[in-house]
Amino acid sequence: MRQSGIAAMLAALLWGTGAVACDLPANAAATEQEIATWINAERGAEGLGPLRLSPALEAAAAAHACGMAARNDLSHKGFSARLRKAGYRASTAVENVGRTKGVAVTAAARMWRNSPGHRDNILNRKIREMGVAVATDGTSVWYVFIGGASG
């Protein structure tokens, strides 16, 4: 496990180092990129454009992934507040969260694909950008996808 990453550092600046300091899987950047690529492939298969990465949404996602791992609490609590704290003014915003034992991108993708609400979030026609983050508590990996359109 490693203790940093660009999104985690941005989150630390926004939320204070103690609130978001957490462990990331050794391959966190590659895992996050794999999830982002999968999301854009899902959108492309439905004729939707790709989402670009947003530093603000990545910071909000990283803070939430770290917080969920620290609290062992899978939730959407505080979603609007996280966006505001990251400085993201959303006209539309969606969030998916998930947890697997160990890094298992295919399992996380399968959960989101097979859940109508989560799939709707990924295929939301109004969103234009995203943030993706992962964190670990040493046993589970916590995933967050936030999609949004600023405005």
Side-chain angles (χ1 to χ4, degrees), residues 25 31 35 68-69 72 74 97-112 134-144:
T31 299
I35 294 167
M68 287 190 306
N72 191 31
L74 189 68
V97 298
R99 176 178 59 193
T100 62
K101 295 293 181 190
V103 176
V105 172
T106 55
R110 186 173 46 250
M111 285 187 300
W112 289 346
V134 296
T136 186
D137 58 13
T139 303
S140 297
V141 175
W142 302 78
Y143 302 85
V144 178

Side-chain angles (χ1 to χ4, degrees), residues 91-131:
S91 59
T92 299
V94 298
E95 178 180 64
N96 288 356
V97 298
R99 176 178 59 193
T100 62
K101 295 293 181 190
V103 176
V105 172
T106 55
R110 186 173 46 250
M111 285 187 300
W112 289 346
R113 181 185 293 126
N114 293 334
S115 163
H118 291 103
R119 183 159 175 78
D120 288 349
N121 286 346
I122 290 166
L123 301 179
N124 185 304
R125 294 179 181 278
K126 295 179 182 177
I127 61 175
R128 300 288 175 253
E129 50 198 355
M130 71 174 144

Side-chain angles (χ1 to χ4, degrees), residues 37-50 122-123:
T37 299
W38 173 79
I39 287 167
N40 280 331
E42 290 290 303
R43 291 177 61 81
E46 297 295 326
L48 299 172
I122 290 166
L123 301 179

